[in-house]
Amino acid sequence: MFATPRGGNPEAVMANTTETLRLACEQLAQLTGQEPESVSSFQRTEDGWRLTVEIVEVSRIPDTTSLLASYEVELDEDGGLTGYRRVRRYERGRADDQAH
């Protein structure tokens, strides 16, 4: 569960985290021109946040053959995007042995 800041409540922490993730996805969409599908991981860092965001790069039929990419996204303390990079590409229906 999320740590509760001094005097804060867990619901407020969750709402703030959710809003930060949503805004990060919006910023990434503006830069890449592609809509993020999901946030597969996130963590607080000393400087802000680090996320892994999944994006469909090439839609195909059937959907299990669509090409997806994982992007590592860095945010500052205020939730502003400070950098991103594609770290992986894969077909939706294909499992891989890569540990995350």
Side-chain angles (χ1 to χ4, degrees):
M1 196 72 197
F2 294 97
T4 305
R6 284 178 264 133
N9 66 44
E11 291 81 17
V13 172
M14 182 63 161
N16 187 39
T17 300
T18 301
E19 182 67 7
T20 298
L21 299 179
R22 185 186 66 74
L23 291 172
C25 287
E26 285 181 7
Q27 293 176 73
L28 185 61
Q30 290 174 352
L31 292 170
T32 64
Q34 312 244 6
E35 286 298 317
E37 184 167 274
S38 65
V39 175
S40 57
S41 70
F42 68 94
Q43 68 182 38
R44 288 286 276 161
T45 64
E46 289 182 12
D47 300 325
W49 295 84
R50 180 178 299 118
L51 319 168
T52 303
V53 178
E54 308 304 318
I55 292 180
V56 176
E57 290 196 329
V58 180
S59 292
R60 295 182 181 157
I61 299 176
D63 191 47
T64 56
T65 63
S66 292
L67 188 59
L68 284 84
S70 298
Y71 284 81
E72 184 176 277
V73 179
E74 301 281 339
L75 307 176
D76 62 20
E77 282 288 331
D78 297 322
L81 195 145
T82 59
Y84 74 95
R85 66 186 180 107
R86 184 173 62 201
V87 294
R88 179 174 159 236
R89 287 183 98 186
Y90 60 98
E91 282 186 352
R92 182 186 301 275
R94 188 169 297 189
D96 67 1
D97 297 329
Q98 184 177 12
H100 293 280

